[in-house]
Amino acid sequence: MMSLVILARGHSWLVVDKPAGMSVHNDPQDVCRILGRQLEPGTFDDVHPVHRLDKETSGLLLVALDSGTARDLSGKLQERSCEKVYLAIVRGALPVSETWQTWSQSLSDKAEGRRNPRGQSTDRVEARTDYRVSRSSRYLSLMEVRLLTGRQHQIRKHSAIAGHAIVGDRRYGDPGYNSRMAGIYGTDRMFLHAVRLKMSIDGKERSFEAPVPDDFDRLIERV
């Protein structure tokens, strides 16, 4: 039976390491269904993902085990003290810097496509993404990304608008490029990973970290 790695657990919540290619919900083998079978019967009311993580994205996912905890943690995620950090490998060379830069183009809070990642102008709302580049080569850049707002596909859209789409992003990246990269590196995953989460839970400041997947790590070595 398929199971998920549980990185941390409290009385009414847990943090799991979601693999790339697995939906959070609405699939026969999604996070909610797998956890429902994996956890001890009678120890929780239901599985409630507290935030969104795209099917193509791997890494940290916070899950509540009852609706009250889900509402409380969802509110905590909106606090300024909360920090969600991702790793992304993007197409092209960006200057390495220890200083955080910001993408601030307004975005539609709907799934869009490669031709117009910002969406219709009438649907656009504030969107802010911090990033800093830790490694760069002629062809690829590795960056840390920090979300300041929570728009749908925000990191994917902002990086594509900047001309540096995430490697393997089928919605916002170039299909031919992604196909070539998959042939070279033997994986067609999207290289976006939720690596770190810092927030207050149960009155205590907590920090969680998800290990970098092997296929992700192999491409980092090429940057």
Side-chain angles (χ1 to χ4, degrees):
M1 182 179 71
M2 185 180 296
S3 62
L4 288 164
V5 174
I6 297 175
L7 299 171
R9 184 168 183 178
H11 175 70
S12 55
W13 56 269
L14 48 84
V15 177
V16 301
D17 189 2
K18 187 189 85 65
M22 179 183 291
S23 294
V24 174
H25 45 63
N26 297 328
D27 274 351
Q29 291 292 319
D30 61 30
V31 169
C32 294
R33 287 177 172 83
I34 290 170
L35 282 177
R37 296 190 296 265
Q38 182 176 342
L39 298 174
E40 303 86 352
T43 60
F44 64 99
D45 295 336
D46 202 356
V47 175
H48 301 265
V50 177
H51 57 103
R52 294 181 297 198
L53 207 59
D54 295 340
K55 179 177 181 178
E56 301 89 347
T57 304
S58 58
L60 290 171
L61 180 69
L62 178 61
V63 177
L65 301 180
D66 61 67
S67 57
T69 300
R71 287 191 298 271
D72 178 63
L73 293 180
S74 180
K76 296 286 187 184
L77 279 175
Q78 307 309 313
E79 296 177 358
R80 295 183 65 87
S81 58
C82 175
E83 184 178 61
K84 289 187 286 185
V85 179
Y86 295 73
L87 291 179
I89 301 177
V90 301
R91 180 178 183 177
L94 284 164
V96 173
S97 175
E98 295 182 1
T99 304
W100 289 97
Q101 310 293 319
T102 301
W103 286 319
S104 58
Q105 299 94 334
S106 58
L107 302 171
S108 166
D109 203 5
K110 301 176 182 177
E112 301 291 349
R114 183 165 65 95
R115 296 185 183 277
N116 184 23
R118 293 188 68 183
Q120 298 299 315
S121 58
T122 53
D123 295 332
R124 294 173 190 167
V125 292
E126 181 189 16
R128 292 177 61 81
T129 305
D130 279 354
Y131 70 95
R132 61 184 178 189
V133 179
S134 55
R135 298 171 72 171
S136 183
S137 70
R138 182 178 175 184
Y139 303 106
L140 299 169
S141 298
L142 171 67
M143 61 172 61
E144 286 184 278
V145 186
R146 189 168 62 186
L147 285 175
L148 304 181
T149 54
R151 310 305 173 203
Q152 188 172 32
H153 298 168
Q154 180 174 314
I155 298 172
R156 300 166 64 181
K157 291 177 180 179
H158 268 158
S159 57
I161 292 165
H164 297 279
I166 296 171
V167 176
D169 189 342
R170 296 181 184 179
R171 181 179 290 272
Y172 300 105
D174 178 77
Y177 173 82
N178 286 333
S179 179
R180 291 194 299 274
M181 292 296 285
I184 294 170
Y185 296 108
T187 176
D188 62 355
R189 69 155 293 163
M190 183 175 72
F191 285 85
L192 182 63
H193 179 67
V195 69
R196 192 161 60 250
L197 173 64
K198 294 181 179 180
M199 64 181 295
S200 175
I201 304 179
D202 297 335
K204 180 180 178 181
E205 291 298 320
R206 303 177 188 269
S207 180
F208 311 105
E209 190 159 332
V212 178
D214 289 343
D215 54 0
F216 205 111
D217 208 30
R218 284 194 295 271
L219 189 55
I220 287 176
E221 293 176 357
R222 302 293 184 96
V223 179

